[in-house]
Amino acid sequence: MGKNNSKTPQAIRGTQDIFGAEAESFAFVVETFERVRKLYRFRRAEFPVFEKTEVFARSIGETTDIVSKEMYSFEDRGGESLTLRPEFTAGIARAYLTNGWQQHAPVKLATHGPLFRYERPQKGRYRQFHQIDAEIIGAAEPQADVELLAMADQVIRELGIEGVTLHLNTLGDGDSREAWRAALVEHFRSVKDELSEESQERLEKNPLRILDSKDRRDQRFVADAPKIDAYLSDEARAFFDAVTGGLDAAGVKWVRAESLVRGLDYYRHTAFEFIPDEGSAAADALGSQSTILGGGRYDGLIESLGGPPTPAVGWAAGIERLAMLVGEKGEGRLNVAVVSEAESTDLLAAWLAPQLRWKQLSVELFNVGGLRKRYDKAVKANPQVLLVLDDKTSVPHQIGVMRVRSLTHNKSIDPDTADLIRDALEGKLWLGGNRIIQHGHEIELEHDPLAE
RNA sequence: GCGAUCGUAGCUCAGUUGGUUAGAGCGCCGGUUUGUGGUACCGGAGGUCGGGGGUUCGAGACCCCUCGAUCGCCCCA
């Protein structure tokens, strides 16, 4: 709110502070990606979040929106123009060249982290956002595309996301793409005056984009626009057939999307997006954003950075968008709540908690405030087991009593948890007597572990 | 860059056609039921109603400007 305006700086527009349930969903996406990429033997890599501006300007394309108006660029103290990465691929290509990773080619890389684009924020779109990313560099074969897409498909399915479909297209090789582009320009130029204002501009800058315009005025002319298929070379056709055949064999469902083009200049051959199905719950959750994962083949990119001709293919997916589709991920139930009733049992509690945590039980300590508040908070934390420490003992060498409470409805304690608690304490805190970890039991604490 | 909607307590919100000292729930702090089941009861702290200007006898409500948020266009993940 505004109260602290004069004192507290505000967060940068389009950045997010992620906490609680949302943070759990975010982590679930990353963890799932990490697990799956290992199954496909993609190697983990880390890259700088900023690069020389030319890394992006030269590879992504000067006329793209990203380069022309969305980059966070600045001069460092040496006067060099640097840019916060707006995407992963260009920086990875640079790293491939400057580190001599040709020696590893073909190399399968996986990474994730923040990206930055100066855009107007809205649902599913931020100025600092996060992606998971997978690339195969140095592989010209369609089998690489297939494996990469199979991995994308598995990530999405293991996330439990439904109602999302792989939309697949080919842009052909460089010559095919140029011939098709020229034909499109000619087609749309003939009806230029009837196109939307935006598409009239696109005609000069980015004619392929007219194909997926949402404007009805444009859509009339999209239907009979030239198709890429008519311009594909035999090689490009064969390549695409090999990709689709491989996807079928791998059990990856896909649909042909003839008008799917990707925004960046460097794409060749395979281009794809995973898009929620019309009317699905996923589509609702994403608002007006549609693509959750996108990518393609970029055989020309590495050359544009001064490297040798190097085939490559990759994809990236928005973690925030995926997280919106995975549903609530709880923080996991608390295993044990420890309530220390007396000042004299606080140290006992401080000793007990880590013993249990070393047994991989989650433990939360309740040792401040009034007794009633301690119990209120402990119960509200919804632990499986409530352990109460108090010093009400009349036996001289006893240091206290631990009472066991189950907070499950049937007052039973999960036997594995009970075993872990007993193992943690065995021989350390008490000997003889009642050692049963069950609801309602009181256990006499006879030895002071702190004194040993 | 353009458009629409919205800013009241830490959070979610209420606040009649403008009318005394601005409200609730949750959360927080303290107390009681003589200490134990997602409680109950009592009390307390916390707001210059985003900010600035204007209209009015009187503005949280109306007007202008500004800042911010949300959603959409463009574009993208």
Side-chain angles (χ1 to χ4, degrees):
Chain A
M1 301 292 100
K3 182 177 64 165
N4 293 326
N5 274 355
S6 59
K7 284 202 276 190
T8 307
Q10 288 176 311
I12 304 299
R13 172 178 299 197
T15 63
Q16 334 165 62
D17 303 305
I18 308 172
F19 173 75
E22 283 177 33
E24 296 296 333
S25 296
F26 191 104
F28 174 66
V29 171
V30 174
E31 286 159 11
T32 302
F33 172 68
E34 274 295 292
R35 189 162 50 75
V36 173
R37 67 95 180 156
K38 288 175 188 167
L39 304 177
Y40 286 77
R41 301 290 288 177
F42 276 61
R43 302 169 75 179
R44 185 62 209 253
E46 298 290 342
F47 302 98
V49 297
F50 59 166
E51 296 275 355
K52 293 186 181 180
T53 296
E54 61 179 311
V55 169
F56 306 112
R58 282 168 58 180
S59 58
I60 297 173
E62 300 278 1
T63 63
T64 60
D65 278 16
I66 288 179
V67 172
S68 63
K69 57 187 190 193
E70 294 177 1
M71 293 205 302
Y72 273 96
S73 299
F74 60 96
E75 279 192 7
D76 72 1
R77 289 166 188 267
E80 183 147 44
S81 178
L82 306 181
T83 294
L84 265 34
R85 64 185 180 195
E87 59 135 32
F88 276 114
T89 306
I92 293 173
R94 186 238 86 214
Y96 177 85
L97 292 172
T98 57
N99 293 305
W101 287 348
Q102 288 97 327
Q103 65 180 316
H104 301 301
V107 58
K108 298 191 280 190
L109 298 171
T111 191
H112 64 83
L115 293 304
F116 305 84
R117 290 182 199 169
Y118 193 88
E119 291 186 278
R120 199 65 180 269
Q122 57 184 271
K123 191 180 187 69
R125 199 168 82 184
Y126 307 94
R127 288 186 173 181
Q128 177 180 334
F129 59 105
H130 302 79
Q131 288 183 344
I132 53 178
D133 181 281
E135 314 278 348
I136 304 178
I137 304 180
E141 311 76 31
Q143 293 91 315
D145 305 48
V146 172
E147 185 174 61
L148 187 85
L149 280 164
M151 176 179 158
D153 184 64
Q154 187 165 353
V155 168
I156 287 170
R157 282 158 63 181
E158 293 224 13
L159 286 170
I161 294 172
E162 313 212 326
V164 169
T165 302
L166 166 59
H167 291 232
L168 187 69
N169 196 19
T170 178
L171 305 173
D173 48 38
D175 291 342
S176 312
R177 180 175 157 143
E178 277 317 301
W180 180 44
R181 180 190 159 108
L184 279 175
V185 171
E186 193 179 340
H187 171 77
F188 286 118
R189 206 192 296 284
S190 66
V191 292
K192 179 173 179 179
D193 294 341
E194 298 178 65
L195 295 173
S196 66
E197 297 75 19
E198 278 148 3
S199 283
Q200 293 188 26
E201 273 193 40
R202 284 192 274 237
L203 189 53
E204 306 305 326
K205 290 167 56 179
N206 208 348
L208 305 197
R209 291 239 74 95
I210 300 175
L211 292 175
D212 51 17
S213 167
K214 292 171 189 166
D215 198 303
R216 288 185 177 280
R217 287 172 290 172
D218 300 330
Q219 286 170 347
R220 290 179 299 163
F221 302 108
V222 168
D224 60 340
K227 301 282 191 281
I228 177 66
D229 290 19
Y231 297 85
L232 288 180
S233 64
D234 290 346
E235 292 78 7
R237 160 58 58 190
F239 189 95
F240 190 59
D241 288 344
V243 172
T244 57
L247 290 174
D248 291 339
V252 177
K253 292 200 178 67
W254 59 278
V255 298
R256 179 68 194 277
E258 283 184 322
S259 62
L260 186 151
V261 296
R262 307 235 65 236
L264 314 184
D265 283 357
Y266 53 60
Y267 287 109
R268 299 287 182 276
H269 290 291
T270 318
F272 53 86
E273 295 180 354
F274 282 77
I275 299 175
D277 303 336
E278 201 99 10
S280 67
D284 276 359
L286 281 171
S288 71
Q289 315 306 326
S290 54
T291 305
I292 58 171
L293 181 153
R297 181 162 276 281
Y298 51 93
D299 291 349
L301 170 58
I302 290 183
E303 262 181 290
S304 74
L305 290 174
T310 306
V313 60
W315 57 254
I319 297 176
E320 288 88 349
R321 291 184 187 178
L322 292 170
M324 287 190 283
L325 303 183
V326 300
E328 292 270 308
K329 294 292 159 189
E331 299 187 0
R333 186 166 183 195
L334 174 62
N335 296 128
V336 181
V338 176
V339 174
S340 169
E341 287 206 351
E343 221 170 290
S344 63
T345 55
D346 283 350
L347 285 177
L348 199 53
W351 175 87
L352 175 60
Q355 295 294 325
L356 299 172
R357 289 171 181 145
W358 276 106
K359 293 292 182 184
Q360 309 306 307
L361 292 170
S362 60
V363 178
E364 197 134 18
L365 231 38
F366 298 89
N367 53 9
V368 293
L371 269 189
R372 174 144 255 128
K373 286 279 156 51
R374 296 186 196 193
Y375 282 103
D376 285 349
K377 286 180 181 172
V379 167
K380 215 171 247 187
N382 191 28
Q384 290 178 296
V385 183
L386 180 63
L387 297 179
V388 178
L389 301 176
D390 79 27
D391 58 354
K392 296 291 189 295
T393 170
S394 52
V395 184
H397 63 284
Q398 283 185 357
I399 60 171
V401 174
M402 181 172 86
R403 287 180 309 239
V404 180
R405 290 282 184 277
S406 165
L407 291 201
T408 58
H409 287 301
N410 59 7
K411 302 194 185 231
S412 70
I413 292 175
D414 171 63
D416 294 337
T417 304
D419 284 349
L420 288 169
I421 294 173
R422 195 179 52 246
D423 288 354
L425 305 184
E426 193 71 78
K428 293 176 180 168
L429 192 54
W430 74 85
L431 292 169
N434 180 6
R435 312 177 182 184
I436 301 171
I437 307 296
Q438 276 180 12
H439 178 78
H441 280 245
E442 297 203 346
I443 297 162
E444 297 163 350
L445 307 178
E446 298 181 343
H447 286 242
D448 185 353
L450 303 167
E452 289 171 2

